[in-house]
Amino acid sequence: MECAHPRCTRPVIIDQPYAGAHLCRPHFADSVVERVRRELHRQAPRLPGGTLAVALSGGKDSGVLLTLLVRLLGERRNIRIVAITIDEGIEQYRAATLLRARELTQRLGVEHVVRRFQDELGTTTDQAAARLPQVAPCSTCGVWRRTLLNRTARELGAVRLAVGFNLDDLAQTVLMNLVRGEPHRLLQMAPHRSVEEGMVPRIAPLATVPEREVYLYARLEGIPFDHTTCPHAGRAMRNVFRETLWKMEEEIPGSRHALLRTREKLIEALSALPPGSPTGKCQACGEPASQEFCRSCLFLESLTEADGSP
Ligand code: SF4
Ligand SMILES: [Zn+2]
Ligand SMILES: [Zn+2]
């Protein structure tokens, strides 16, 4: 089979059923860069100079994201790229990913900031999992990581926070929010359309690249990343949606892209409604919150209630 690119006779390395295409290695690599470039400009048009924070976990997605942002924006002298890694305190997982994150930032010459749950919150994901067995670890971990990423990006004076969500991640989140009857949460997903006080708007430039293509690109480009799976991942509700979407995509190629288009249309409709409760500040930590206390503080509070100390 030959590459779909006009006049290219090189052998194919990837098929893209959602696009009805097959691509050779160089044209596949070019297509990834082009999709990310397009999304970056669509989500952050007229990106002003300043600091661009990049959430870097040490996995394949954020590794590809950082590499491409340096490639696409590294020449702009008015943009400073800073990678942020959050150490959630997960044994047998985070140490290896941190090493890869460090290796990549050193290779790219990018500033690297590491923040630890233990230092910032006085607890870890492992401790929360043991002390709150009724709560899925990803719930506390995800909320705390988002809070710390936002706080760190804000302290760095970042104009945007880039996150490594790929097409599969975003399509799963759309489906999850719809199935749970929480369409308003679509507004809170990256990429953000509006700027709220205290929040650094998040962008997701890998939004149109499927997970397996991100993986392939990382391997082909020799980007260092860690394969270790988080020991708590098995309890994530997201797994159901991941498997459902795999089946849907196999039967109906293009389902993931369609879900992202659904999100865009729903956001248009939701934005036309009168605004809901304005975002205020958490009474405990001062971070943005739509209620009296933010979810991060509510989880910390439930830890205190569980055994008397945060
Ligand atoms: S899988 Fe869940 S617990 Fe593990 S790092 Fe991700 S969000 Fe945290
Ligand atoms: Zn080709
Ligand atoms: Zn709070």
Side-chain angles (χ1 to χ4, degrees), residues 166-178 189 211 238-243 245-246 256 259-260:
N166 58 49
L167 174 64
D168 293 66
D169 296 327
L170 292 170
Q172 286 157 21
T173 308
V174 173
L175 191 61
M176 208 151 66
N177 288 330
L178 294 179
M189 284 175 63
E211 179 164 19
R238 181 174 284 275
N239 295 335
V240 177
F241 294 94
R242 177 178 293 116
E243 282 162 26
L245 259 180
W246 278 340
R256 294 165 299 184
L259 275 164
L260 291 205

Side-chain angles (χ1 to χ4, degrees), residues 282 285 294 297:
C282 169
C285 70
C294 71
C297 286

Side-chain angles (χ1 to χ4, degrees), residues 1 9 17 22 39 44-45 62 67 99 107 115-116 128 142 151 177-178 181 218 224 227 238 247 262 270-271 283 294:
M1 200 179 291
T9 54
H22 310 273
E39 269 306 299
S62 55
T67 303
L99 273 179
R107 185 188 284 187
R115 291 276 189 274
R116 296 189 164 78
R151 188 191 300 168
N177 288 330
L178 294 179
H227 297 76
R238 181 174 284 275
K247 285 188 196 135
T262 301
L270 289 167
S271 308
Q283 298 299 303
C294 71

Side-chain angles (χ1 to χ4, degrees), residues 4-5 13 22 26 29 51 67 82 98 117 152 206 230 247 265:
H5 213 264
I13 61 153
H22 310 273
T51 299
T67 303
V82 185
L98 253 172
F117 277 12
T152 310
L206 303 186
C230 171
K247 285 188 196 135
K265 286 179 186 167

Side-chain angles (χ1 to χ4, degrees), residues 18-193:
Y18 59 87
H22 310 273
L23 293 175
C24 69
R25 179 174 174 159
H27 283 128
F28 164 69
D30 288 350
S31 83
V32 173
V33 179
E34 181 54 24
R35 277 175 280 173
V36 173
R37 192 190 63 75
R38 225 180 299 144
E39 269 306 299
L40 177 64
H41 292 299
R42 191 181 75 84
Q43 295 178 20
R46 302 179 298 280
L47 186 66
T51 299
L52 175 64
V54 184
L56 178 67
S57 69
K60 65 182 185 322
D61 302 292
S62 55
V64 167
L65 174 68
L66 182 65
T67 303
L68 289 179
L69 288 176
V70 168
R71 179 167 166 183
L72 294 166
L73 298 171
E75 305 268 283
R76 278 187 58 179
R77 298 166 70 93
N78 62 343
I79 290 187
R80 162 195 178 220
I81 296 178
V82 185
I84 304 172
T85 302
I86 303 295
D87 178 352
E88 305 92 342
I90 302 172
E91 283 276 327
Q92 299 155 1
Y93 170 62
R94 194 36 96 194
T97 54
L98 253 172
L99 273 179
R100 292 287 161 258
R102 193 159 294 136
E103 187 184 339
L104 181 61
T105 50
Q106 284 172 355
R107 185 188 284 187
L108 296 171
V110 167
E111 205 179 318
H112 188 202
V113 174
V114 180
R115 291 276 189 274
R116 296 189 164 78
F117 277 12
Q118 186 67 62
D119 302 335
E120 307 288 326
L121 305 168
T123 190
T124 65
T125 293
D126 281 348
Q127 288 167 17
R131 287 151 70 178
L132 296 173
Q134 73 282 14
V135 179
C138 296
S139 303
T140 51
C141 185
V143 166
W144 288 337
R145 187 175 46 240
R146 271 195 299 280
T147 301
L148 265 194
L149 274 172
N150 184 62
R151 188 191 300 168
T152 310
R154 196 180 60 223
E155 287 168 0
L156 288 165
V159 290
R160 293 284 189 287
L161 168 64
V163 292
F165 299 143
N166 58 49
L167 174 64
D168 293 66
D169 296 327
L170 292 170
Q172 286 157 21
T173 308
V174 173
L175 191 61
M176 208 151 66
N177 288 330
L178 294 179
V179 169
R180 294 198 300 204
E182 296 174 332
H184 57 280
R185 282 186 179 267
L186 298 174
L187 290 162
Q188 294 158 11
M189 284 175 63
H192 288 160
R193 286 203 172 185

Side-chain angles (χ1 to χ4, degrees), residues 108 117 214 226 263 281 310:
L108 296 171
F117 277 12
V214 176
D226 192 79
R263 171 185 183 255
K281 283 188 176 178

